[in-house]
Amino acid sequence: QVQLVESGGGLVQPGGSLGLSCAASGSFFSIATMGWYRQAPGKQREYVASITTGGSTNYDDSVKGRFTVSRDNAKNTVYLQMNSLKPEDTAVYYCYARARRIVVGPLNDYWGPGTQVTVSS
């Protein structure tokens, strides 16, 4: 199994910053891509950002220029630095990893339980 646990969520004022972390553990050979989705109340889960093993990043238009995704491959950890936060960023943020459990095995997606981010004055 591959387990993911997010940390760093909380309450922040509009315009503030918050950093999230997600560490992967368990049995796996490698993690190809790690990233973040979020889900606000009454809305579908939406893509936020991702990063490959080689460091290539991708962002949803709604967070470009404000959020930065990074990773530490040695620690199997992905980060999301969120700046200039807006009330519409309020959501449960979910970490995911696209991982290969064995050297020539398939890539499967794994999800963390989520962490709440609330942007409010």
Side-chain angles (χ1 to χ4, degrees):
Q1 299 288 346
V2 178
Q3 293 85 39
L4 300 171
V5 179
E6 303 95 342
S7 63
L11 175 65
V12 63
Q13 292 183 323
S17 298
L18 202 62
L20 304 181
S21 298
C22 174
S25 63
S27 179
F28 58 87
F29 173 73
S30 63
I31 301 175
T33 302
M34 300 187 78
W36 300 87
Y37 278 69
R38 66 186 181 185
Q39 187 169 23
K43 296 184 178 180
Q44 292 184 302
R45 188 173 298 189
E46 65 179 9
Y47 173 82
V48 176
S50 62
I51 182 168
T52 67
T53 303
S56 297
T57 59
N58 194 32
Y59 299 91
D60 183 76
D61 287 341
S62 66
V63 304
K64 285 182 179 178
R66 300 189 298 121
F67 291 11
T68 301
V69 64
S70 61
R71 67 188 286 176
D72 185 334
N73 290 335
K75 296 181 179 180
N76 297 313
T77 300
V78 63
Y79 307 93
L80 185 68
Q81 180 62 45
M82 304 181 292
N83 300 323
S84 301
L85 284 162
K86 305 174 181 179
E88 51 263 45
D89 294 319
T90 296
V92 176
Y93 283 70
Y94 296 92
C95 169
Y96 79 91
R98 182 160 291 175
R100 182 175 279 111
R101 293 186 65 188
I102 59 176
V103 65
V104 294
L107 288 167
N108 293 309
D109 291 336
Y110 302 88
W111 295 87
T115 186
Q116 178 70 49
V117 173
T118 302
V119 184
S120 177
S121 59

